[in-house]
Amino acid sequence: MTIETGRPADCSGRPEKECAVYDLLERLDISFTRADHPAAFTMEECEAVSQALHTPICKNLFLCNRQKTAFYLLLLPASKPFHTKEITAQLGCARLSFAGEEQLASLLHLTPGSATIFGLQYDTENRVQLVVDRDLLDEAYFGCHPCINTSTIRLKTSDVFDRLTHALHHDYTLVTLKGE
């Protein structure tokens, strides 16, 4: 695993959506550390990356209602389990379940295993509501994929929730998940 500061020196051979994340972070003057690694589809596979970057990797869940008319990107600590009853009670909405690959691709331009806050740059109609577990805000750093699961970046949490969300034109709703 390679740890670097900032974007790759050469983005050729990398997906356009990954390079768009680096462009966005540079425009916002947000510094970051990056780890390139084999594809990580599960939080267990992200554990080695988390240790290498010395930061917790955020769990990102793309959810929808039964009618597939309301969509949510839920960010929570990797160690917390997801219980739909707990989140729907706090959001005051109908039961949520995982959205399909088609919606993930069409709304956020992402594939399974690469859900990330950076996908919101493609949600120009604000169809996806960003939901954040309060415990994430207590961390100094925030780790997530840059729209591809073969790389992970580490940013200051304050940069994510003060500057990045504003630039992406997505406010967020705070929830407190017990994970029990």
Side-chain angles (χ1 to χ4, degrees):
M1 185 178 326
T2 307
I3 308 294
E4 303 283 339
T5 299
R7 72 179 306 129
D10 180 10
C11 263
S12 62
R14 291 181 183 261
E16 186 178 318
K17 61 187 175 183
E18 178 186 1
C19 296
V21 169
Y22 305 138
D23 293 342
L24 173 64
L25 292 172
E26 284 182 351
R27 272 195 316 276
L28 297 174
D29 196 29
I30 295 176
S31 61
F32 62 97
T33 303
R34 177 181 46 82
D36 290 333
H37 50 77
F41 290 94
T42 66
M43 293 314 299
E44 291 77 23
E45 293 171 327
C46 289
E47 184 55 35
V49 180
S50 176
Q51 290 178 9
L53 287 173
H54 305 288
T55 194
I57 306 299
C58 176
K59 187 186 302 185
N60 301 264
L61 304 178
F62 187 54
L63 309 168
C64 67
N65 63 358
R66 183 173 296 164
Q67 298 80 14
K68 295 183 169 89
T69 56
F71 299 92
Y72 304 84
L73 181 62
L74 172 62
L75 311 183
L76 67 159
S79 60
K80 277 194 182 180
F82 167 68
H83 299 293
T84 187
K85 185 176 182 179
E86 187 177 21
I87 189 72
T88 55
Q90 290 188 52
L91 294 176
C93 62
R95 183 179 173 96
L96 299 177
S97 61
F98 292 99
E101 290 182 36
E102 319 78 48
Q103 290 89 16
L104 182 61
S106 68
L107 293 171
L108 299 179
H109 296 215
L110 300 172
T111 56
S114 65
T116 176
I117 192 171
F118 291 109
L120 294 174
Q121 68 184 320
Y122 300 104
D123 180 31
T124 57
E125 296 177 8
N126 287 71
R127 293 193 53 207
V128 179
Q129 181 179 343
L130 180 60
V131 181
V132 179
D133 183 273
R134 193 173 304 277
D135 287 347
L136 286 179
L137 301 182
D138 293 336
E139 298 290 341
Y141 291 95
F142 181 90
C144 66
H145 296 311
C147 292
I148 189 76
N149 66 355
T150 55
S151 190
T152 302
I153 57 177
R154 173 187 180 204
L155 313 110
K156 288 183 181 175
T157 302
S158 59
D159 284 340
V160 173
F161 296 107
D162 296 340
R163 298 170 62 199
L164 180 63
T165 55
H166 179 73
L168 295 173
H169 306 288
H170 277 76
D171 292 328
Y172 56 93
T173 301
L174 279 178
V175 293
T176 303
L177 301 176
K178 295 177 185 165
E180 298 171 350

